[in-house]
Amino acid sequence: MKALISVDMEGISGIVHSSETNPERYDYPRGRELMTAEANAVIAGVLDAEPTAEVLVADAHGTFRNLLPERLDRRARLVRGKPRALNMLAGLDGATDAALFVGYHVRAGEGPGVLAHTMNGEILDVRVTTRAPGGDVRATVRSLGEIGLNAAMAGHHGVPVVLLSGDDAACAEASDLLPGTVTVPVKEALGMAAAVTLHPEEARDRLRRAGADAVTRRTEIPPLTLTGPLEVEVDLASPPTIDLAVLVPGVTRARGARTVAFTAPEYGTAYRLVLLLAQLATIRPA
């Protein structure tokens, strides 16, 4: 059995402010310790249920260099650093049996949710439209944040997301999008930078139990599958980012002043294009 644990930071118990998630801020070392401890709790849970499992842990926050390697459970292997294929899901492949999302957050514009965003502050929304086979005019439009974008990429490889932890808003988003996924709310969001949070040790106990339960139930939880072709719209906050985005073949300006659109033949292409748009958003004109 092979499990991939993708660990973000904003949804970790005790964390409520960017000073705890930003390497340039004073409280970041504490945030790293809390993040690593929750990763270890889920590793332990997976191995409680499947002692011979292969466990990969993908550092999935910011620089992808946040988890403390020397503090991580030695039974797991760590994927860290960037850029890398599959981004927050690096290490995922067709041999993976289960994905577990730890410390995730609600998408941009939703909430209240602690440190809610999608990829970065420049992406305001990602809408993916799928249509029924055979040219049926009926369409399903989904607004996806990091939970949905990554869950659909796991599903593209046939892998279910069996566990998600974060604040209550993130867990509600996951429950709506991913029926059957085990959710662990480790804090109740009061706003962008405020929450009622579990004691970190209590959160870890719950995560360990949930990790074991989730991998045991992995065959009962369906992957999120978005069948192409896919129509994708991305709302961007910055006009210079839009100017760069339309230089990408197939990307066009769409409704209003802030939306770009493209069509992808399958979800893997859509995912990579969204990642590229997020990266373009970090470029500032000279």
Side-chain angles (χ1 to χ4, degrees):
M1 186 263 178
K2 180 180 178 182
L4 176 75
I5 303 173
S6 174
V7 190
D8 205 350
M9 204 169 190
E10 289 87 356
I12 298 296
S13 62
I15 288 180
V16 298
H17 194 273
S18 60
S19 67
E20 298 160 321
T21 64
N22 186 332
E24 298 178 1
R25 303 294 293 276
Y26 74 98
D27 226 4
Y28 172 70
R30 215 167 131 265
R32 298 181 78 187
E33 292 181 2
L34 292 169
M35 179 186 185
T36 305
E38 288 202 3
N40 281 338
V42 178
I43 295 168
V46 170
L47 293 172
D48 286 344
E50 297 279 352
T52 62
E54 176 187 357
V55 181
L56 267 67
V57 178
D59 191 321
H61 174 72
T63 63
F64 297 168
R65 301 192 310 273
N66 309 278
L67 291 166
L68 299 167
E70 69 278 12
R71 301 274 187 90
L72 198 69
D73 190 316
R74 65 187 298 168
R75 296 173 294 176
R77 292 185 295 148
L78 174 62
V79 186
R80 71 192 305 255
K82 67 192 311 184
R84 66 197 192 194
L86 296 189
N87 202 49
M88 296 174 74
L89 297 180
L92 183 93
D93 59 26
T96 306
D97 296 290
L100 301 92
F101 293 174
V102 179
Y104 270 56
H105 52 81
V106 73
R107 68 184 185 271
E110 290 299 308
V114 174
L115 299 170
H117 65 279
T118 298
M119 300 296 181
N120 53 42
E122 290 292 333
I123 293 185
L124 304 178
D125 193 19
V126 179
R127 293 178 297 280
V128 178
T129 300
T130 56
R131 299 189 183 276
D136 195 314
V137 296
R138 290 174 298 174
T140 300
V141 182
R142 294 177 174 87
S143 183
L144 302 180
E146 291 172 36
I147 293 171
L149 290 167
N150 289 316
M153 193 60 193
H156 184 65
H157 287 80
V159 180
V161 177
V162 300
L163 176 140
L164 181 133
S165 72
D167 66 18
D168 56 329
C171 290
E173 183 177 318
S175 294
D176 182 59
L177 192 62
L178 308 169
T181 296
V182 176
T183 59
V184 185
V186 298
K187 54 194 173 190
E188 177 187 349
L190 300 178
M192 187 70 170
V196 179
T197 142
L198 294 177
H199 188 283
E201 291 181 2
E202 174 64 23
R204 292 165 205 162
D205 287 346
R206 295 186 187 189
L207 284 166
R208 182 168 184 167
R209 293 193 297 269
D213 178 43
V215 296
T216 300
R217 295 172 47 201
R218 63 186 181 273
T219 60
E220 304 169 16
I221 300 171
L224 174 62
T225 304
L226 302 184
T227 304
L230 305 167
E231 301 163 19
V232 183
E233 291 188 338
V234 182
D235 292 344
L236 298 165
S238 170
T241 302
I242 296 170
D243 293 339
L244 289 172
V246 296
L247 298 177
V248 178
V251 177
T252 61
R253 296 179 188 269
R255 300 175 299 156
R258 64 173 45 168
T259 304
V260 297
F262 61 87
T263 299
E266 40 77 41
Y267 185 76
T269 299
Y271 182 80
R272 288 175 172 85
L273 271 172
V274 172
L275 295 182
L276 177 59
L277 295 178
Q279 189 61 37
L280 290 177
T282 67
I283 299 174
R284 290 292 174 262

